[in-house]
Amino acid sequence: MTIEFNLFAPRNEAVELIGSFSDWQGVPMEKDETGFFRVQLELKDGDYQYKFRIKHQDKWIETNDPYMTEMDRKTQNGIVHIKEGQRILDTFIWQHDDSFLPDNRDLVLYEMHIADFCNADPSDPTKFKQALEKLDYLSELGINAIALMPITEYAGDYRWGYMPQHFFALESSYGKPADFKSFVDECHARGIRVFIDCIFNHTHEESPLLLIDRDYWYYHDRHYPEDDANYWGPELSYENYDPDRDIRPTWNYVNAIVQFWTHEYHIDGIRYDAVRQIANDEFFGWLFEQVKVPKPFFHIAEHIPDSSEICKPQGVFDACWHESFRYFLTDLLIGKDIDFNEFKSAIAAQPQGYAEATSVINYLATHDREHLIVELQDAGIDDLDRIKLGAMIQFTALGIPMLWMGDEFGQDTYKTETTTEPNPLDWSLLQKNQPLFDFYKRLIALRHEKSSLRSDNLEFFHENGKVLAYVRWNEAGERMVVVANFSDQDFENYAIDHFPADGTWKDWSDGQEVDPSAIDLPSFSAKILLQ
């Protein structure tokens, strides 16, 4: 059957196709008026490897297809599968497309690095399968969305993944396309959504687009020449315009990537890395209009420092990582003096300008930040109760909570010094710190049960030194009170005036009735009170 290969390279002089089907001899490709080089070959059903040989400015180079969807780990060549005369990625059949998936407002996220989560050998290409085997563990914990660190093909067998090289291909050390589809499908069967992390600010030096025609796709020099700290590699340009074709090429390319992952792999949301560096709301607004899927979807920005101006309605993103929440709460938990009004604003989010609970992703740690237990240990504090206090604030504040893998059982390893060193979870800590896991499990269940914790309603009604109280409620009359003591003092029979409602209040931790005028508050602790 006739199979077409094509490459968009409008400013290149010549392109040849090379591959296993031609004994790696060059097959000339013809350029058309749209800027595509094309060639059609008669290929039998089977698996083939291929690359392009490109002439640019009188030099010939070999590179992979920038639209390559799978790479051979040993040869680093692109792979194309032919079946019944058609190009296919795999033969996977989705089983759980009709499963119920939670709305954005109802999410509890779990950030994960696939390799470190599995504690797998970097060269073991079964990581998606291993992660699938742990989905029942995550279901038991109660999370309903997995936020994957980058899973596109990168150089080597282990990285965090923030130096992308091939945007359409899965990282081959994690598994095959069908393995990832099976992982997503089984997540959906359990009511768990799957988000991916996309890096559209910069690429690896060996990215195909850079090799094909740097100045067509990238800034010729740095986007921000004065900002060395935030330069991570050659930066894609969202300003470049091709007047001959009336297109912004990078816009079209990134849109093709997002369409591919949403439709081919059925993902449910994207975290966009380095949004502050890209700094192009017009592009992102256009991009999000192109994403049309028949289910909930979440567009999340990583913008440090966090800013309500990038989220709806001022901006175009659904939400952003809420870094200010983390640093105010962490400083308070390790005993530092902070601006309490700023802290309260971070808990309530709306005083910072955020429109609603879905606008912020609240976390105590991420891949970029140490686990809270490490922050405490660095301050000479060995106290799981402070971790529980932090978690209680995280799960009762306005916003969407996100765990960094291992938070739930006290993972206490430091971040590695480089992004190419494995840092696997220590699963033995799950048994050692089972009470902490059980605590997180109960907190997550409480959030799922009480819609007041997922509402846009939060009001502070008591503040005395480092003792703080706030109420969450919904329109049906459900109320919940959080009383937190961030001091190193124990308080017995502590009285709170102006309680938000009369009636009987019970302590969430043990179900015992509580008198609001006589509450026991140990140092660095909190109580969640229910009616």
Side-chain angles (χ1 to χ4, degrees), residues 144-328:
N144 56 13
I146 295 173
L148 293 170
M149 287 173 65
I151 56 172
T152 57
E153 191 71 67
Y154 51 68
D157 281 342
Y158 182 92
R159 284 180 182 265
W160 282 9
Y162 292 96
M163 193 61 71
Q165 191 166 356
H166 302 291
F167 287 97
F168 291 81
L170 279 167
E171 168 53 35
S172 51
S173 69
Y174 293 170
K176 297 287 188 180
D179 299 334
F180 182 54
K181 288 182 178 180
S182 182
F183 174 81
V184 173
D185 206 32
E186 288 301 323
C187 283
H188 289 170
R190 293 162 173 80
I192 297 174
R193 290 168 62 181
V194 179
F195 301 165
I196 62 171
D197 200 338
C198 289
I199 301 88
F200 297 138
N201 175 66
H202 58 275
T203 71
H204 191 276
E205 290 280 358
E206 296 297 316
S207 169
L209 292 183
L210 190 143
L211 297 176
I212 292 168
D213 188 351
R214 176 173 187 143
D215 287 348
Y216 190 76
W217 300 97
Y218 294 76
Y219 288 99
H220 181 76
D221 297 309
R222 294 187 180 189
H223 190 186
Y224 304 101
E226 73 287 351
D227 191 3
D228 287 342
N230 292 304
Y231 178 78
W232 300 289
E235 294 158 316
L236 290 163
S237 172
Y238 292 85
E239 300 170 11
N240 287 0
Y241 173 68
D242 182 343
D244 294 333
R245 292 159 190 85
D246 190 26
I247 62 169
R248 294 192 182 275
T250 302
W251 289 34
N252 289 351
Y253 183 69
V254 171
N255 179 47
I257 297 167
V258 171
Q259 296 297 333
F260 176 78
W261 286 91
T262 54
H263 294 286
E264 186 68 41
Y265 288 109
H266 297 199
I267 62 160
D268 309 293
I270 297 175
R271 173 200 182 262
Y272 299 85
D273 187 66
V275 167
R276 184 172 72 88
Q277 282 67 38
I278 295 173
N280 196 317
D281 280 356
E282 181 185 4
F283 159 70
F284 281 115
W286 172 84
L287 177 67
F288 300 162
E289 289 177 356
Q290 314 309 308
V291 180
K292 295 177 173 62
V293 291
K295 59 180 179 178
F297 204 84
F298 216 2
H299 295 289
I300 303 170
E302 186 257 2
H303 186 289
I304 306 297
D306 64 90
S307 170
S308 60
E309 293 182 1
I310 67 169
C311 297
K312 298 175 181 176
Q314 302 102 306
V316 297
F317 285 89
D318 296 321
C320 73
W321 276 22
H322 199 192
E323 177 68 8
S324 58
F325 174 86
R326 184 203 68 84
Y327 65 69
F328 283 126

Side-chain angles (χ1 to χ4, degrees), residues 329-337 370-383 386-387 412 414 524:
L329 181 53
T330 299
D331 281 357
L332 197 55
L333 290 171
I334 63 179
K336 292 183 178 180
D337 290 327
E370 300 288 4
H371 286 285
L372 178 57
I373 193 170
V374 173
E375 299 273 12
L376 291 169
Q377 289 171 353
D378 281 350
I381 301 167
D382 183 12
D383 185 4
R386 294 205 197 189
I387 295 175
D412 57 2
Y414 285 90
F524 289 100

Side-chain angles (χ1 to χ4, degrees), residues 253-524:
Y253 183 69
V254 171
N255 179 47
I257 297 167
V258 171
Q259 296 297 333
F260 176 78
W261 286 91
T262 54
H263 294 286
E264 186 68 41
Y265 288 109
H266 297 199
I267 62 160
D268 309 293
I270 297 175
R271 173 200 182 262
Y272 299 85
D273 187 66
V275 167
R276 184 172 72 88
Q277 282 67 38
I278 295 173
N280 196 317
D281 280 356
E282 181 185 4
F283 159 70
F284 281 115
W286 172 84
L287 177 67
F288 300 162
E289 289 177 356
Q290 314 309 308
V291 180
K292 295 177 173 62
V293 291
K295 59 180 179 178
F297 204 84
F298 216 2
H299 295 289
I300 303 170
E302 186 257 2
H303 186 289
I304 306 297
D306 64 90
S307 170
S308 60
E309 293 182 1
I310 67 169
C311 297
K312 298 175 181 176
Q314 302 102 306
V316 297
F317 285 89
D318 296 321
C320 73
W321 276 22
H322 199 192
E323 177 68 8
S324 58
F325 174 86
R326 184 203 68 84
Y327 65 69
F328 283 126
L329 181 53
T330 299
D331 281 357
L332 197 55
L333 290 171
I334 63 179
K336 292 183 178 180
D337 290 327
I338 66 167
D339 185 323
F340 230 65
N341 287 328
E342 293 280 4
F343 175 53
K344 289 165 61 179
S345 293
I347 290 177
Q350 289 172 331
Q352 293 180 319
Y354 293 103
E356 54 186 347
T358 55
S359 301
V360 290
I361 309 297
N362 293 329
Y363 50 85
L364 299 177
T366 70
H367 67 272
D368 267 331
R369 303 290 183 252
E370 300 288 4
H371 286 285
L372 178 57
I373 193 170
V374 173
E375 299 273 12
L376 291 169
Q377 289 171 353
D378 281 350
I381 301 167
D382 183 12
D383 185 4
L384 288 182
D385 286 339
R386 294 205 197 189
I387 295 175
K388 292 180 179 179
L389 170 58
M392 291 171 81
I393 302 303
Q394 179 189 14
F395 277 82
T396 59
L398 200 82
I400 306 299
M402 180 178 77
L403 301 181
W404 167 228
M405 61 177 190
D407 278 351
E408 73 275 17
F409 55 67
Q411 176 78 12
D412 57 2
T413 55
Y414 285 90
K415 289 195 313 168
T416 53
E417 292 186 5
T418 71
T419 61
T420 57
E421 298 173 70
N423 190 11
L425 286 184
D426 181 356
W427 284 96
S428 69
L429 291 171
L430 176 58
Q431 181 175 0
K432 176 183 176 182
N433 295 327
Q434 185 70 39
L436 182 61
F437 174 85
D438 292 339
F439 181 81
Y440 267 102
K441 181 177 172 180
R442 286 195 66 214
L443 259 183
I444 294 171
L446 177 69
R447 185 173 178 88
H448 291 323
E449 178 187 352
K450 302 294 184 181
S451 65
S452 56
L453 289 178
R454 308 190 301 276
S455 75
D456 296 328
N457 306 318
L458 186 153
E459 182 177 349
F460 296 96
F461 65 91
H462 179 85
E463 181 181 346
N464 179 23
K466 291 188 175 181
V467 177
L468 193 64
Y470 54 91
V471 59
R472 301 295 312 271
W473 74 94
N474 65 16
E475 304 310 320
E478 177 184 282
R479 284 182 175 84
M480 181 179 307
V481 164
V482 179
V483 183
N485 176 15
F486 294 99
S487 77
D488 56 6
Q489 293 180 266
D490 296 330
F491 295 102
E492 295 183 358
N493 297 321
Y494 187 90
I496 298 180
D497 299 326
H498 311 298
F499 227 67
D502 295 330
T504 301
W505 291 86
K506 293 186 178 181
D507 189 333
W508 165 73
S509 66
D510 57 16
Q512 297 297 308
E513 288 191 19
V514 173
D515 180 356
S517 65
I519 299 177
D520 291 337
L521 287 174
S523 66
F524 289 100

Side-chain angles (χ1 to χ4, degrees), residues 81-107:
H81 305 285
I82 309 297
K83 183 177 182 181
E84 297 178 358
Q86 301 291 324
R87 290 182 71 153
I88 65 166
L89 185 59
D90 53 58
T91 57
F92 184 83
I93 298 174
W94 295 89
Q95 302 293 326
H96 302 292
D97 270 354
D98 295 332
S99 297
F100 171 80
L101 295 175
D103 289 333
N104 294 344
R105 184 173 291 273
D106 300 328
L107 296 176

